[in-house]
Each structure stands twice: as C-alpha cells, then as structure tokens.
Amino acid sequence: GNNVPSNSRVLMLLGQLEKMSADAMVTDVEMARQLTVKILHLIQTQGENACTQNTQDLQTTLNILCILSELLTVGGGRRVGVFVSKGGTGLLLQKLITASKESPPSEELMLQLHSLLAKVGPKDRKFGVKARLNGALNVTVNLLKQNLQNTKLLLPCLQVLRVYSTNSVNAISLGKNGVVELMFKIVGPYSKKNTSLLKVALDTLGALLKSKTNARRAVDRAHVPALLAVYQDWHRNDTRQRHMLIRKGLLACLRNITNIKLGRKAFIEADGMRILYNTSTECLPVRTLDPLVNTSSLIMRKCFPKNRLPLPTIKSAFRYQLPHVPAGGPVAQLYNQPPGVDDVVDESDDNEETEADTENDTENEEDDKDHRTVNDDIETDLNKLRPKESQSRLFEELRVYDRFFVELSEDFQVRILMGFALNHTQATIPSYQHTRPIIVPTAQSLPPKIVPIPSPEEECHLPRGLHTQPPPSVPPPTLPSPLLLGGIAARRVGGGGGSTGGSDCGSEGPEEEGGEGAVLEVPDTALLLPLHDPDLYVEMVKGTRSVPHYSEVAYPDYFGHVAPTFREPLLERVYGVQRSKIFQDIERLIHPNDILDKVIYDLDIPSCPVIDDDGESLKFNSQFESGNLRKAVQVRKHEYDLVLNSDINSNHYHQWFYFEVSGMRVGTTYRFNIINCEKSNSQFNYGMQVLMYSVQEAISGRPRWVRTGTDICYYKNHFSRSSIAAGGQKGKSYYTMTFSTNFSHKDDVCYFAYHYPYTYSTLKMHLSKLEALRTPQIYLRQDVLCETLGGNSCPLLTITAMPESTSNDHICQFRNRPLIFLSARVHPGETNASWVMKGTLEFLMGTSPLASSLREAYIFKIVPMLNPDGVVNGNHRCSLSGEDLNRQWQSPNPELHPTIYHTKGLLQYLAHIQRTPLVFCDYHGHSRKKNVFMYGCSVKETVWQSNINATSCDLQEDLGYRTLPKILSQIAPAFNMASCSFVVERSKASTARVVVWREIGVQRSYTMESTLCGCDQGKYKGLQIGTRELEEMGAQFCVALLRLRRLTSPLGLRNHQHLLDVESDLMETRCKVASSSPTTYVMEEDEPSFLEEVDYSAESNEEDADADDHSTDVFDNPVHLDQLSDSETNHRD
C-alpha cells in the first residue's frame, strides 16, 4: 500500500497546531516536542517516497513545511532548538538536494525550504559544514544565479547564504563560485525598492569579505571605489535616516576589505579618507548615526598611512656607555639592531583590529562583568613556589654588611657608654662639589639683559639665571635690586626664565622693557613646608650626577609643593571626545595645508634644543633633574605634538613626562598630544588628569601642583615602530595621550608632569631635614649603601628607639627588636611611591606616642630610592643599564645593578644571622588601577587559582600574610582589600616581593601599589589622589605595623595600655569612614571595557601583558580568612 500520509492526517496535525497556537502561553513544551517529532517523521517518509512523487505529494510536502514553519515561528527559539536537536536541519538539506533534482524544480518548494532553513540555520552550529558536505551549498548558489530578477525567491536564498557565509571555509568556497561578484550585482545605489533584500546581500557580502582571498578578489575587481560611491549615494539620499542598516552594511564591507594591505591602498587611492571624513562629519549632529561615524572612524584610522616617529632613532636621546654589556641582554640587542630598524613598513596583512577596537568611544558601555579570562601567567610549578635557599653568596662575603647593622652587634653597649652612638649616626651622604654652575629658576619669562659670561670649558653664553656657584675666575653676575611683590616676606631669585641649560640659543632676544629689574620676589615656603628649603635643595643638586650634565633647577622642585586644600574630583569624560580628537588628527591628512609642522624643541640637537622663533610658538624645556620631553612640534597654531624620551639604553618605556612651558597667551586653549605612549590603555581614559605647576601662582603664595586638563583621552594613533624595534611584539602602534588647557597668567612659566615629581635631590634634602628632627630618644642612622652606575649614592636609613638605658636588659631588648625592611622607587616614573615613603619617614621620625611606640617595637631598615639614576635622568622604568631593576632580584649583577645586589645582600645577611625581617614591603605606583592595594605571596592561593594538584603539606600555610593588608583596609581610607592579590605569577619570579618571600623566607613580603589616578571606594571615592593622601597612606602603613606588633606579641606590650587607647581612638575615626563601604571580596574589573583590551597587570609591571584578573576571587570562604591565624598570636620574635 501507499504509506504516503493522507491529507486528512496533515489536517489533523494542523488542527492540533491551531489549538496550541490559540493558547497565548504555550506552556506545553512536551506537546510541541511530540508535534515536531511527528512532522519530522512525515518529512522523512515524504523523502523515502520521493520516487513516486506527484503533484499531490508535492502539495502534501508543502503543507507539512507550512505547518512546520508556523510551528517554529510561534514557538520561538526553544522549538527551533528541539527541531535542530532531532536532526531537522539535515532532513531539510536532504529534501533540498532531492527537490533540486526535479526538472524543473518546484519554485514554491524551494521557497518554502529556504525560508525554513533561514529560520533554523542560525541555531545549528554545524549548519554550514552539513550544507557543504551534502552539496546544498551549490544548490542555493545555482538557484540564486538563475533567479536574480525573482525577488520573492531571492530573499530566502540570500538569507540562507548569509548563514552559510559565516563559516570561513564556506566563505572561500563561495568566493571561488563567484558569489562575491553575485552580491555586488545585487548591491546598488539608493532605491526605495527591495531594501530588505539589499540588507541581507550586504550582510552576506560583509561575511564573505572577512576572508582575505575574497577581499583581494573585491579589490582586484575595483569594488572599493564602487562601494564608496554607493555609500555616498545612500548617504545623500537617505535624508530621513530610514536605512541606517544598509549604510552600516556598506561600511562593514569596507571595514573588512581594509583589513588587508591592498584594500587599504585601494581605499586611499579612491579618496576614501575624504569621502568617509565628509560623510561622517555630516552624520555627527544626529546621535542615532553614531554607529556609522564610529565604523567610518575605525576604517579611517586603519587606513591612515603608518608613520615613524619624527625622530632620528627611537633609542634614548642620551647615550650612556655601560662598563660592560651582557651578551644577549636587552642592551646588546638594542645596539646590534640594523640601521633603518626604526622605519615603519605597513607589512601586516592582518591589521590587528580587535573586536573591541570597533566601538570607538567608551561612552555608556556596560562593564563587562563576565570577562574573566584564565590567567596563564600563574605559576603552576610547585617547586617554584617552595622556599629556595639562595646559595649564591657565602657568609664570608656577606660579612661586609656588618657595618650596616651596628645596632645588632655585641659591642654596641660599649659604643653607647662611650657616647659613640650619636657620632656614628652622623654619616650623611657626601655631596660632590662640582665646578659647574647651577641655574636657579626664575619667576619671570621676560628675560632681563643677558650678560655673556665666557666659561672656561666652552665659549657659550650661560643661560639667564642666578649662579649659586660661579666657575673659578668668573665674577658673579650682578643682580638688579629686588622687586617686592605686595610686601610678602620674600626670598630672592635670579632674573629671567625658561632658561636653556648651558646653551646660548634663544637668549639673544631684544631687551624687554623692565628687563633691568626683573627679579621677582617669592614667598618663603619654610612656613608652609617644614621639610623644604630652596637653598638646601640647590646644595643637593650640586652633588647629583646626571648623564646630560643638567645645570638647571626646575622651579617646582626649588620652591616646593604645598598640597591644595580643595578636592580634585575625577574628570567626567565628555561624550564623543575621543572621536572628535581622532577626526582632528585625520584632518591633518585631508587638509595638509593647515599644518605648520614646526619643530620648536629638540633634544636631538644637543647644542641648541630650544629653537628660536618669532614669538608665535610656546617655548619648551626639560633640561633639569627628572625632566622628560624629547621633542615638541607645533602642528597648528595652538596644537603641539610632544615626543617623550625613552629610558636610557632602551628604545621604549615612554610614560613619565616633566617639562616646562612658557610664552603662552591668556584666553587661548592649547592642545597637547603626547604621541609615543606605549600601553594599550591608561587611567587618562578614566578620570585622571595631568599635573600643572604655575610659577605666577607660586609667587602669589600658592606653590602647588594642580590637576588640570580637559578633553583628555588616550587612543591608538598612526605612528608605529617596526616589529624588530618593538622587540618582536605585536603592539607596534603608539598611542596618543591628548589634553587641552588654558593658561591664566600672562608671562607665566608653567610645568606639566605625569605625576607629582619627586627628584633624587628632593630626597637628599628631605633626609637632611629629617636629621634635624632627631631627638635623643630616636636612633637614626644614614649610611651610603652603595654608589650607582651614574655615580650617585644610594642612601640606607636605620630608624628605631634608643635603648632606655645602658643596662643589659634594655640593650638586649633594643637588639632583639624585630626588623621591618622597606624600599621604594625602583621604577622612577612611579613618583607616588616616594610620596608614600615620605609619609612613612615623617611618621617614624614624629613625636606622637604611636611613633615612639613603633620605634620601640621595631628596627626599621629603609632604602627610600632603589633607582636614583633612573629618577635623575627622567627615566620611566629602567636604570642606566636599560633594564627594569625589579626583574633583577634573582641574580643581580654587582656592577650593573648595584642597588639591587646590595639590598638583596642586606637581606641575605639578615637571613644568615637569623634575623629575617618580619615584614618586607616595596612601594610602587600602579598606572592602570585605582586605590591603594597590596600584592603578597601565597602557595595556597596560587594553587587555588590554577588547576594543579598539590599535596596537603604544600597547602599547610600560615594565613599571617593576610593580616597586614586586612588591617590597612580597616584603617586607611585609600586602601582596597578587593584589589589585593596573593598569587605568584611566572613573570614576577624575579621581583623583590617574590624573591624575598622564596629566598629570604619573609612570609609577609609585599609590593604596595598606590594608584596614580584616584579612588573608587571609601572616603576618597570619586577623587583623584594627591600628595596629602599618599603621605597619609605612608603614615597609615606605620600604624598598621604597630597593630601587627600587638597581634604578633601581645605579652611584651601590655604595659603600653595608654598607647592602645590612643590607637583605638585612631582606628575608630578611620573605621567610621571605612565601614560606609564594606570590604567586599569580589574582584571586579577596575574599569569599564574599552576600545582595546586592557592588559592591566600586577606589580605595576604593565609591559608583561597579563590580565589583572589573576586575583579574580580566591575568597570562596571569606570567613576563615578574616580571622587571624592562631600562629599569629605567638609568633617567634
């Protein structure tokens, strides 16, 4: 018998379907499932009997497909899912093949099948593969070719093709089959007809052009100018913005074609930049057209010709010859690079356009909470997490460090009895007397009359300024009588300003009126800043050695910084700011005649960096301690491109800047672009501003750095370096940090900096002033730990309380105090670390009961600046050896990394004599995250984060490492426990924190990271951080150590009950603030997602691109972690 289902059975199913559809809420999923299975069965039996197919069978098939279509439409995604899971797509594709063999195939059947396939295809992950394997792909293509005029059939065919094309293998095969050309036949100029057809064709074309082969095919057939012309046509005619999706589709095609080099070339040749620039500019007023503007902007940025930086070489402008260059090290590689290595060729065919790149502005983007990538940098080798004996140095060798630990030695009592101790502590840092003059800054940008003074070394006019130490046989310049400003108690400063170190350029200007008496009087800062003394600062500068032989003093360092009393909130980002900046950059290419391109400052011309001009430009200068600006180019009348200098003996790490600007006009907005930043994202995109210091303001009694700048953003630009120069990294593009600013005073001299500057000379001045704070109760000793490569001394401080008397008990108590070891500023650009250290030192030398209690509890060993050379020379990250010193701790070289070698030596010495410090903490700054937080080391938390199997003995770990950060989160408003991490990563194996933990055996070994930006929790939420908060953090760290002492040895301190009361009062005031934001243990991403993926990373080590999610959330059970471990209470002394 004929088992072809009768129409009555189909009608019965139809009835059931109607009944189901009548229930608005189709709750009966099971019934839907059964129906689907029945219908599938029907289709199958139809297929088996295809040979006997007649008109009636065709009608039945169409009925079944119609029912199925209705069933799937009503049921939504879930029913389609059931259909796919039961193998429905395969059956439909099979049906398609069968139907195509009929001659002629039934158009109606083809229409139905394609409509259904378009519905179910997207839900079947293997759809494209199935269609290719069984030949359905070609059926659809052939059908298309035959029915280009039949729009009714064309649409479902295209819809299916759109799904096929998303499979990359299919895309290539379809391209070979002429589908790219086919799509271009359908795509055409503006028309009100068939818009849905056009939209699907464009989607398909867009998907096909993701294949490079297809993109090349499109370029070869001259489709790029055609697409641009069609886009322009739609742009002109779609005045009511009804067809944005078609316009977006056209741009998507262009975007994919320009991913290949040929495509970019064709785009430029077809005048694509101008076309997209003009159309986008016209779209800007209509906010709904933003997606068009964003995609256009992306295409233009991608096609903007890549340029090398306007520099002779990207290596540092300063050359320092190392005593020896380790073979195979970074410096050897740098100097062995072939000439022309800096030249940029647009060699990449795959323009690394990340998906994130596509959304051009971070406006209103929701934080991507699910973005939790697995951190593959976590150390999974348990042997590298176990303690390691550092065998490198014998104790005989380490004996040289005895002299830094006099307070631990046996004959210390005798020394005290002989009154020897105080004299011994006077070993201050020697100051080198140089014959070069030091130019003190001036507060006046109008130069007075210049008196040329011949110098013995070279014939050259010394810059305007006061010579505190004239060269021998040269009479000191006579200074005009002081000019009193408003009767302020004043300190005299030499005339002139914006001086240029040791050169005669720019100083030949005409004599200005009033030039004679242009010596400005400035208020005395000593009243405001107890640790600051300008004259002492100048003395300190004389002993500081720099590679460029600086002879000038920057005004802010000379005069000091008094933290402003007003709040400085994080800057709100203006909608579309980045886009408008990028458009201004693109205009440079489109209107080249508007561009001045005038170099006005250039360190690569050492004889004359300041290029004299007609007064139409600003004047720049960076030739002073910690200064960094290599070149300034005036691009437009009020816009300047600035290039930073790379670290010495390196060709990258540009981030820190510090420079002087003069010659400004009031009421004009200037735009500054730092064009060679390297990191892929920055806190400048999240509310951080630059710092500015105005000399005129300082003279008026407001000497201070202030957060400033509007329209701040940070984005990838068109400058790049070759992959060899980039060390084989993919990130060959540079980034622009742009900000705009107005100046309030005429004839001002202003300074701009990345963060609050803190020079090496400032440190020496502060240390000298700290000496003066010493009382007979305080034991303070300053030693020189070692000399740096550049000939600067590295200070080491010892601070504790004098023994109460010379009795054996007191001396014994004195000698047995646990040690705390602190260090800072291994990375010169992280100046905030020095401000935190200043807070710590001032607290330790203070007179408060807490401070004296702390001195009685511990002996402090402090290296306040681990990298003086980097600081002096304006480096961002390295020392003169061109290396990151915080990656040298495993095996430091005594010649190339002396400060690390000897600091490690001190710690190894302590380990040998069994006086391992209770706490080691290295202060850093973090440029990608907000708040202050700590990184520590824990085997257990590292193991939890990775999937390695560890024995339980490996996980027997004292939780004491959590105590200090926990206390800090309770008492320090800027500190955030949620950002802390105790995971050990591979890339951090040679950092201080990890080496001191593994090799020296300090369980509480930390890096304390302070934000350069601001806080997003606690009392300072929404504010940028300032020196007051940083110094407070340093003091809070001390208070936390005191509390740690109470917890680790409660017995010894019972008699200090009154101090406990003082401390608890202090705690209470803090806690009121802190408790308003409970410490959550959820590690959320610090920032909303942005243009490029942000490679936040720990330890302010952002050039190892590791995500900062390693600290995602190790606190599955926060309860037991909160409690201090038992062993805390009876910790051995």
Side-chain angles (χ1 to χ4, degrees), residues 1 32 69 117 209 295 313 422 425 522 578 676 807 829 896 957 1090:
S69 182
L117 284 168
L209 290 170
T295 308
T313 167
L422 281 175
T425 62
V522 290
Q578 174 172 305
N676 62 334
S807 74
L896 294 176
E957 182 176 47
F1090 186 65

Side-chain angles (χ1 to χ4, degrees), residues 151 350 455 580 583 667 849 1114:
T151 48
D350 39 343
S455 138
S580 62
F583 272 48
V1114 280

Side-chain angles (χ1 to χ4, degrees), residues 10-29:
V10 174
L11 288 170
M12 187 185 80
L13 274 171
L14 252 173
Q16 280 180 294
L17 183 64
E18 277 176 325
K19 187 164 159 269
M20 277 180 72
S21 305
D23 303 343
M25 301 284 290
V26 184
T27 44
D28 203 342
V29 181

Side-chain angles (χ1 to χ4, degrees), residues 796-1070:
L796 166 69
L797 272 69
T798 306
I799 302 176
T800 186
M802 279 292 193
E804 283 182 46
S805 75
T806 51
S807 74
N808 269 344
D809 283 1
H810 283 147
I811 294 283
C812 192
Q813 188 275 337
F814 171 86
R815 208 177 288 142
N816 288 315
R817 293 170 188 164
L819 277 104
I820 304 284
F821 203 110
L822 306 177
S823 62
R825 205 68 187 281
V826 71
H827 294 143
E830 295 163 14
T831 56
N832 47 358
S834 282
W835 289 97
V836 176
M837 180 55 83
K838 177 176 186 263
T840 294
L841 291 173
E842 283 181 36
F843 184 89
L844 283 177
M845 292 299 293
T847 51
S848 72
L850 286 178
S852 60
S853 198
L854 193 55
R855 292 189 294 265
E856 285 163 27
Y858 296 113
I859 295 172
F860 286 86
K861 286 283 167 188
I862 301 175
V863 184
M865 196 172 276
L866 280 168
N867 187 355
D869 289 346
V871 171
V872 170
N873 292 293
N875 280 9
H876 175 65
R877 198 171 182 84
C878 301
S879 67
L880 292 184
S881 72
E883 294 161 298
D884 178 343
L885 290 180
N886 204 33
R887 293 290 175 287
Q888 308 304 326
W889 277 77
Q890 272 177 328
S891 47
N893 177 312
E895 218 179 342
L896 294 176
H897 323 119
T899 61
I900 304 301
Y901 181 82
H902 292 296
T903 306
K904 186 176 180 180
L906 293 175
L907 288 155
Q908 287 170 318
Y909 172 86
L910 286 170
H912 267 290
I913 62 167
Q914 267 140 32
R915 295 296 302 274
T916 304
L918 178 71
V919 172
F920 169 83
C921 189
D922 189 19
Y923 293 2
H924 281 250
H926 205 296
S927 74
R928 314 272 190 113
K929 293 171 83 173
K930 293 188 167 70
N931 312 309
V932 180
F933 48 95
M934 278 180 152
Y935 293 126
C937 303
S938 151
V939 179
K940 196 180 258 181
E941 299 198 25
T942 305
V943 169
W944 279 349
Q945 287 283 303
S946 54
N947 300 317
I948 50 176
N949 294 317
T951 56
S952 55
C953 68
D954 275 313
L955 298 180
Q956 291 301 311
E957 182 176 47
D958 185 342
L959 284 172
Y961 65 87
R962 296 191 79 95
T963 320
L964 194 60
K966 194 83 194 81
I967 296 169
L968 279 169
S969 71
Q970 290 163 2
I971 65 172
F975 195 89
N976 182 23
M977 188 73 183
S979 297
C980 294
S981 163
F982 303 95
V983 170
V984 179
E985 304 94 330
R986 293 191 188 96
S987 63
K988 306 296 171 4
S990 200
T991 58
R993 156 181 72 108
V994 178
V995 171
V996 172
W997 171 70
R998 268 195 80 199
E999 295 183 24
I1000 313 294
V1002 177
Q1003 183 205 9
R1004 297 182 178 85
S1005 176
Y1006 306 102
T1007 300
M1008 184 160 75
E1009 300 271 3
S1010 302
T1011 179
L1012 291 157
C1013 175
C1015 297
D1016 59 11
Q1017 49 84 50
K1019 180 168 96 173
Y1020 302 133
K1021 183 177 180 171
L1023 301 178
Q1024 292 182 80
I1025 204 149
T1027 53
R1028 184 184 283 105
E1029 292 73 41
L1030 292 166
E1031 290 183 42
E1032 174 192 71
M1033 190 63 235
Q1036 297 292 354
F1037 184 80
C1038 294
V1039 176
L1041 288 173
L1042 196 55
R1043 182 172 246 202
L1044 180 72
R1045 184 78 178 122
R1046 310 256 182 274
L1047 294 163
T1048 49
S1049 61
L1051 300 171
L1053 288 164
R1054 282 194 182 142
N1055 52 347
H1056 293 291
Q1057 192 53 52
H1058 68 288
L1059 291 177
L1060 284 170
D1061 298 340
V1062 173
E1063 191 192 354
S1064 57
D1065 290 348
L1066 202 118
M1067 300 288 179
E1068 245 128 60
T1069 52
R1070 299 277 166 238

Side-chain angles (χ1 to χ4, degrees), residues 651-668:
N651 63 0
H652 59 137
Y653 304 117
H654 330 98
Q655 199 167 325
W656 167 256
F657 56 87
Y658 181 17
F659 57 86
E660 170 193 293
V661 176
S662 57
M664 65 283 289
R665 307 223 160 134
V666 178
T668 302

Side-chain angles (χ1 to χ4, degrees), residues 320 429-436 438 539-551 624-626 648 760-761 764 787-793 867-874 880:
Y320 177 81
I429 301 161
S431 109
Y432 300 95
Q433 294 304 313
H434 283 319
T435 54
R436 68 164 195 269
I438 300 296
E539 276 308 301
M540 293 304 171
V541 171
K542 290 174 192 170
T544 296
R545 297 185 171 185
S546 64
V547 171
H549 303 299
Y550 289 137
S551 59
F624 44 78
E625 190 175 345
S626 294
I648 290 175
Y760 171 62
S761 299
K764 292 192 293 180
E787 291 277 305
T788 63
L789 272 176
N792 292 302
S793 46
N867 187 355
D869 289 346
V871 171
V872 170
N873 292 293
L880 292 184

Side-chain angles (χ1 to χ4, degrees), residues 313-483:
T313 167
I314 58 173
K315 293 184 198 113
S316 172
F318 304 139
R319 182 74 197 260
Y320 177 81
Q321 190 56 54
L322 292 174
H324 72 269
V325 177
V331 181
Q333 285 167 15
L334 185 72
Y335 289 115
N336 291 334
Q337 282 174 358
V341 70
D342 295 341
D343 289 329
V344 172
V345 207
D346 179 7
E347 70 273 294
S348 64
D349 237 10
D350 39 343
N351 199 301
E352 318 114 28
E353 175 199 317
T354 52
E355 246 331 284
D357 231 337
T358 52
E359 278 327 300
N360 195 330
D361 255 313
T362 53
E363 337 291 3
N364 315 327
E365 271 186 32
E366 264 310 296
D367 196 335
D368 181 9
K369 292 278 194 300
D370 310 323
H371 178 64
R372 283 272 185 277
T373 50
V374 180
N375 178 11
D376 50 9
D377 189 32
I378 291 178
E379 185 53 77
T380 50
D381 178 350
L382 271 172
N383 290 322
K384 293 192 179 157
L385 294 172
R386 294 193 177 104
K388 170 186 157 197
E389 276 298 308
S390 53
Q391 297 296 347
S392 51
R393 300 172 73 179
L394 302 164
F395 189 49
E396 290 319 304
E397 256 187 81
L398 293 170
R399 294 304 297 253
V400 299
Y401 297 109
D402 276 343
R403 62 195 178 94
F404 297 113
F405 296 98
V406 187
E407 66 282 355
L408 305 182
S409 66
E410 290 303 322
D411 60 346
F412 189 71
Q413 183 170 2
V414 186
R415 288 163 184 272
I416 287 198
L417 291 172
M418 294 169 66
F420 189 68
L422 281 175
N423 301 339
H424 183 86
T425 62
Q426 300 289 2
T428 51
I429 301 161
S431 109
Y432 300 95
Q433 294 304 313
H434 283 319
T435 54
R436 68 164 195 269
I438 300 296
I439 290 97
V440 174
T442 70
Q444 174 61 302
S445 61
L446 298 176
K449 189 172 181 183
I450 300 296
V451 188
I453 307 168
S455 138
E457 293 123 60
E458 67 247 35
E459 268 309 303
C460 136
H461 301 165
L462 281 167
R464 39 194 182 269
L466 163 68
H467 303 295
T468 50
Q469 199 184 359
S473 81
V474 177
T478 50
L479 287 170
S481 57
L483 171 77

